[in-house]
Amino acid sequence: MVTTPTENNRVLLASRPEGEPTAENFRIETAAVPEPADGEVLLRTVYLSLDPYMRGRMSAAKSYAAPVEVGAVMEGGTVAEVVESRSPDLEPGDLVLSHLGWQEYGVQPARHVRRLDPARAPISTAVGALGMPGFTAYAGLLQIGRPQPGETVVVAAATGPVGSMVGQIAKVKGARAVGIAGGPQKVAFLQELGFDVALDHRSPTFREDLKAAVPDGIDVYFENVGGHVWDAVLPRLNTYARVPVCGLIAHYNATEAPEGPNRVPQLMQAILTKSLTVRGFIQNEFVKEHYRGFQEEVSAWIREGRVAYKEDVVKGLENAPEAFFGLLRGENFGKLLVQVGPDPTR
Amino acid sequence: MVTTPTENNRVLLASRPEGEPTAENFRIETAAVPEPADGEVLLRTVYLSLDPYMRGRMSAAKSYAAPVEVGAVMEGGTVAEVVESRSPDLEPGDLVLSHLGWQEYGVQPARHVRRLDPARAPISTAVGALGMPGFTAYAGLLQIGRPQPGETVVVAAATGPVGSMVGQIAKVKGARAVGIAGGPQKVAFLQELGFDVALDHRSPTFREDLKAAVPDGIDVYFENVGGHVWDAVLPRLNTYARVPVCGLIAHYNATEAPEGPNRVPQLMQAILTKSLTVRGFIQNEFVKEHYRGFQEEVSAWIREGRVAYKEDVVKGLENAPEAFFGLLRGENFGKLLVQVGPDPTR
């Protein structure tokens, strides 16, 4: 039963971070619950998705999306419940994928949300395995990486919602999957997920471990990390290797370029002599053509047990900033969600 | 009338260069003229093509092709005349595209050479506008760069055999062509060729000049140079820009990585946030599918006056090393050829 709420707790961007964000960059405040206009719905946040791209939105630097304004609610994808509807398409109690940001309640035009079927998959997957992170993996791997049977696919942050999906889809497509993660617990989980080899990038022998793990070289490196992993991967890439680039979490908090020498010439030389394809992308680019196929294929693979996913659920909106800092440090283990309010399906 | 030769002057790789190659890295010697076996032809070099890739062949470092051995004849594409034939497919006096390297005479299997029709185009174009450099431009621009009408294409070393073709084909395809070259004489020539804008990369205001020349940003940057041109281009690339990489002549003589900071993170960040495609290639990759179309299209464009080419002909094999050093310094003006012996068509 849905009651009429009066207070809306929300997390605002208080200031832009220099380097690693801190608690001072956020401010929690209580506002009035907004009222839906014609065609709109009032939504209650159940799950807020925390994702690395949000670090970019905190900065004023030009990127593929506009930054969050200082004083505005932090952006973010949400799974929410309809509290009040002024649209014939939705009614109270409906569960929807929405983009409310870091707050308990929000209003959106009904046509901007998508109704979820809890019978089809747990609703939290709408922001994970069956949502933006899963689609990032699916589209980047299949449209840019194009792994062929028997080829070797390497991915870092491999227990995360993107990386874990990349490795598992690579296996579905008959490729060898090598996953890289931080720490023995995550490495063990990659083995459970069916990765052929799981490596710990914190190991002092990481470079040698990677070399030994890819005796036939690397055909696809799905780049979502950057830093020393990319440095170790580059010499192992095969001729015609493909490198979809969807994230560079190792660099998001950097305040200046790292010490020299400048290795851009070396990177360009590798691109030239090995006929590499290095291709940045944002999943939006592929939505129109491939989103429906993604939903059908991946939900089937989940049902068939060919693809598994792991969630890391933090309770309470007030804990979102801390959880986000941990995400940037690689401390989450699986898809990071903030449970903002009760999940009516559980 | 073809006489039987007895002496064969040739240029050997005497030692591997450290940095910029010097005369000491080459040795000129006189050897006996080889005899063709069954199925082979004895050829006399008319034109030897000098190309930047040869710098790579002088080094032992791993690349897309094996290095020239120390003590072996320097590699290179040639236009040659058949002196003696032991193949039913060729006869004395025939002119062929061949790969004799830096020498006056050589033997090749008849099936490894391609007969040229002097009535169709000047034979020297077989190693230039209608040869490997022209095809590099054609395949890289059209298969990777894919310029659309109204888009902006930028190319450096734009008076060279690759760059000049890139700009002219971009114009044929309805794109805007911005050419970059070194010095006012070359800039003037680019204007003659029909480039929309021609820039001098030696100008102290080069960065600003480039910015002003591309008010709508850059959609295709055909990379054959590297160095400070690439640094200036990167911030001007548009979302979804394509960067075919076929050469990095600015770095070929480098003995160590340039001073820091390390700008690899910055480059990867640009690739990510602008959804760039950076793609290395060697023209061989496209030969099977596109070489015939290239020959037909480009020779038609030349006949129609839509595409022009410029040759820089140095006489005498003994001058090949000096000419090659000048090529690496950007001193040639047009496609660099060594005329090793008389051209029977002139």
Side-chain angles (χ1 to χ4, degrees), chain B residues 23-329:
Chain B
E24 284 75 57
N25 299 127
F26 296 102
R27 190 172 68 239
I28 300 184
E29 65 158 34
T30 304
V33 171
E35 302 219 354
D38 230 34
E40 293 186 335
V41 283
L42 172 64
L43 301 170
R44 175 182 71 79
T45 306
V46 180
Y47 296 107
L48 163 66
S49 174
L50 294 183
D51 301 279
Y53 77 83
M54 292 167 170
R55 176 64 186 83
R57 299 290 204 283
M58 297 180 77
S59 293
K62 202 182 159 188
S63 185
Y64 49 83
V68 173
E69 294 300 322
V70 170
V73 175
M74 275 294 293
E75 252 186 60
T78 48
V79 173
E81 186 184 23
V82 176
V83 177
E84 192 185 332
S85 176
R86 296 196 55 191
S87 158
D89 299 331
L90 290 168
E91 55 187 53
D94 280 350
L95 293 159
V96 295
L97 173 64
S98 47
H99 204 90
L100 298 178
W102 297 27
Q103 58 185 346
E104 290 178 322
Y105 294 93
V107 149
Q108 287 211 281
R111 70 179 190 284
H112 286 183
V113 307
R114 188 161 61 78
R115 185 156 33 182
L116 300 172
D117 176 2
R120 193 184 184 213
I123 57 171
S124 58
T125 59
V127 290
L130 290 172
M132 185 271 286
F135 186 60
T136 298
Y138 177 90
L141 183 66
L142 299 183
Q143 297 309 312
I144 301 171
R146 300 176 173 274
Q148 305 302 307
E151 285 193 334
T152 298
V153 173
V154 174
V155 64
T159 62
V162 178
S164 65
M165 193 63 81
V166 167
Q168 294 179 92
I169 297 176
K171 291 300 296 176
V172 168
K173 296 294 176 182
R176 250 183 108 236
V178 175
I180 300 169
Q185 207 190 349
K186 290 183 179 177
V187 165
F189 178 64
L190 291 179
Q191 283 153 348
E192 271 178 52
L193 284 183
F195 280 72
D196 295 278
V197 187
L199 301 174
D200 187 344
H201 68 82
R202 293 179 192 157
S203 159
T205 58
F206 171 63
R207 268 182 177 258
E208 295 74 48
D209 300 345
L210 177 64
K211 187 176 174 179
V214 296
D216 300 326
I218 300 170
D219 301 295
V220 180
Y221 173 57
F222 192 102
E223 173 63 297
N224 55 1
V225 167
H228 75 288
V229 175
W230 176 223
D231 294 341
V233 161
L234 190 60
R236 309 262 76 85
L237 291 173
N238 288 333
T239 298
Y240 300 129
R242 289 79 68 196
V243 182
V245 181
C246 85
L248 294 164
I249 197 167
H251 306 295
Y252 289 169
N253 285 335
T255 50
E256 51 189 45
E259 266 182 42
N262 178 14
R263 280 181 298 184
V264 165
Q266 201 179 326
L267 171 55
M268 293 300 288
Q269 193 79 24
I271 290 173
L272 170 60
T273 57
K274 300 204 249 189
S275 296
L276 304 180
T277 300
V278 183
R279 171 65 152 86
F281 76 102
I282 310 299
Q283 45 86 29
N284 307 5
E285 177 185 345
F286 300 103
V287 164
K288 204 169 168 187
E289 208 169 338
H290 300 286
Y291 199 80
R292 186 181 296 267
F294 153 71
Q295 288 277 331
E296 284 166 12
E297 284 203 297
V298 174
S299 58
W301 292 334
I302 291 176
R303 280 193 307 272
E304 293 160 12
R306 304 177 79 183
V307 164
Y309 60 91
K310 182 176 178 68
E311 294 177 342
D312 185 342
V313 182
V314 170
K315 302 223 168 187
L317 180 66
E318 67 282 10
N319 296 315
E322 272 306 325
F324 181 62
F325 306 151
L327 173 72
L328 295 177
R329 288 190 295 260

Side-chain angles (χ1 to χ4, degrees), chain A residues 129-182:
Chain A
L130 290 172
M132 185 272 283
F135 186 60
T136 298
Y138 177 92
L141 183 67
L142 300 183
Q143 297 309 311
I144 302 171
R146 300 178 175 272
Q148 304 303 307
E151 285 193 334
T152 297
V153 174
V154 174
V155 64
T159 62
V162 177
S164 65
M165 193 64 82
V166 166
Q168 294 178 91
I169 298 176
K171 292 299 296 176
V172 168
K173 297 294 177 182
R176 248 183 111 236
V178 176
I180 300 170

Side-chain angles (χ1 to χ4, degrees), chain A residues 92-233:
Chain A
D94 280 351
L95 293 159
V96 296
L97 174 64
S98 47
H99 205 90
L100 298 179
W102 298 26
Q103 59 184 347
E104 290 178 321
Y105 293 93
V107 148
Q108 288 212 281
R111 68 176 191 286
H112 285 185
V113 306
R114 189 162 60 79
R115 186 158 32 183
L116 300 172
D117 177 2
R120 195 185 183 212
I123 57 172
S124 58
T125 59
V127 290
L130 290 172
M132 185 272 283
F135 186 60
T136 298
Y138 177 92
L141 183 67
L142 300 183
Q143 297 309 311
I144 302 171
R146 300 178 175 272
Q148 304 303 307
E151 285 193 334
T152 297
V153 174
V154 174
V155 64
T159 62
V162 177
S164 65
M165 193 64 82
V166 166
Q168 294 178 91
I169 298 176
K171 292 299 296 176
V172 168
K173 297 294 177 182
R176 248 183 111 236
V178 176
I180 300 170
Q185 209 191 347
K186 289 183 179 175
V187 165
F189 178 65
L190 292 179
Q191 282 153 348
E192 270 177 52
L193 284 183
F195 279 73
D196 295 279
V197 187
L199 301 174
D200 188 343
H201 69 82
R202 294 179 191 156
S203 159
T205 59
F206 171 62
R207 268 182 179 258
E208 295 75 47
D209 299 345
L210 178 64
K211 185 174 176 183
V214 296
D216 300 327
I218 299 170
D219 301 295
V220 179
Y221 173 57
F222 191 101
E223 174 64 296
N224 53 2
V225 167
H228 75 288
V229 174
W230 176 224
D231 295 341
V233 161

Side-chain angles (χ1 to χ4, degrees), chain A:
Chain A
M1 145 102 214
V2 177
T3 56
T4 306
T6 54
E7 287 192 339
N8 180 22
N9 291 310
R10 50 195 209 168
V11 181
L12 311 183
L13 180 65
S15 58
R16 301 207 183 277
E18 295 276 333
E20 207 170 321
T22 65
E24 285 74 58
N25 300 128
F26 295 102
R27 189 171 70 241
I28 301 185
E29 65 158 35
T30 305
V33 172
E35 301 218 357
D38 230 33
E40 292 186 335
V41 283
L42 171 64
L43 299 171
R44 174 182 71 79
T45 306
V46 179
Y47 295 107
L48 163 66
S49 174
L50 293 183
D51 301 278
Y53 77 83
M54 293 169 170
R55 177 64 187 81
R57 300 289 205 283
M58 297 180 76
S59 295
K62 202 183 158 187
S63 185
Y64 48 85
V68 173
E69 293 300 321
V70 171
V73 175
M74 276 292 295
E75 252 186 62
T78 46
V79 173
E81 186 184 23
V82 176
V83 176
E84 193 185 332
S85 175
R86 296 193 57 189
S87 158
D89 299 332
L90 290 168
E91 53 189 56
D94 280 351
L95 293 159
V96 296
L97 174 64
S98 47
H99 205 90
L100 298 179
W102 298 26
Q103 59 184 347
E104 290 178 321
Y105 293 93
V107 148
Q108 288 212 281
R111 68 176 191 286
H112 285 185
V113 306
R114 189 162 60 79
R115 186 158 32 183
L116 300 172
D117 177 2
R120 195 185 183 212
I123 57 172
S124 58
T125 59
V127 290
L130 290 172
M132 185 272 283
F135 186 60
T136 298
Y138 177 92
L141 183 67
L142 300 183
Q143 297 309 311
I144 302 171
R146 300 178 175 272
Q148 304 303 307
E151 285 193 334
T152 297
V153 174
V154 174
V155 64
T159 62
V162 177
S164 65
M165 193 64 82
V166 166
Q168 294 178 91
I169 298 176
K171 292 299 296 176
V172 168
K173 297 294 177 182
R176 248 183 111 236
V178 176
I180 300 170
Q185 209 191 347
K186 289 183 179 175
V187 165
F189 178 65
L190 292 179
Q191 282 153 348
E192 270 177 52
L193 284 183
F195 279 73
D196 295 279
V197 187
L199 301 174
D200 188 343
H201 69 82
R202 294 179 191 156
S203 159
T205 59
F206 171 62
R207 268 182 179 258
E208 295 75 47
D209 299 345
L210 178 64
K211 185 174 176 183
V214 296
D216 300 327
I218 299 170
D219 301 295
V220 179
Y221 173 57
F222 191 101
E223 174 64 296
N224 53 2
V225 167
H228 75 288
V229 174
W230 176 224
D231 295 341
V233 161
L234 190 59
R236 307 263 78 82
L237 291 174
N238 289 333
T239 299
Y240 300 130
R242 289 80 68 196
V243 182
V245 181
C246 84
L248 295 164
I249 197 167
H251 306 297
Y252 289 168
N253 286 335
T255 50
E256 50 189 45
E259 267 182 40
N262 179 11
R263 280 179 299 182
V264 165
Q266 200 179 326
L267 170 55
M268 294 301 287
Q269 193 79 21
I271 290 172
L272 170 60
T273 57
K274 300 203 249 191
S275 295
L276 303 181
T277 300
V278 182
R279 169 69 153 83
F281 76 102
I282 310 298
Q283 46 86 28
N284 308 6
E285 176 184 346
F286 300 103
V287 163
K288 203 169 168 187
E289 208 169 338
H290 299 287
Y291 199 81
R292 186 182 296 267
F294 153 70
Q295 288 278 331
E296 284 167 13
E297 284 203 296
V298 175
S299 58
W301 293 335
I302 290 176
R303 279 195 305 274
E304 295 161 9
R306 303 177 80 184
V307 164
Y309 61 91
K310 183 177 178 66
E311 295 177 341
D312 185 341
V313 183
V314 170
K315 301 223 169 187
L317 180 66
E318 67 281 9
N319 297 315
E322 273 304 325
F324 181 62
F325 306 151
L327 173 72
L328 295 176
R329 287 190 296 259
E331 289 169 7
N332 61 304
F333 188 0
K335 168 62 198 152
L336 184 58
L337 298 168
V338 178
Q339 185 164 1
V340 175
D343 177 346
T345 68
R346 288 196 183 174

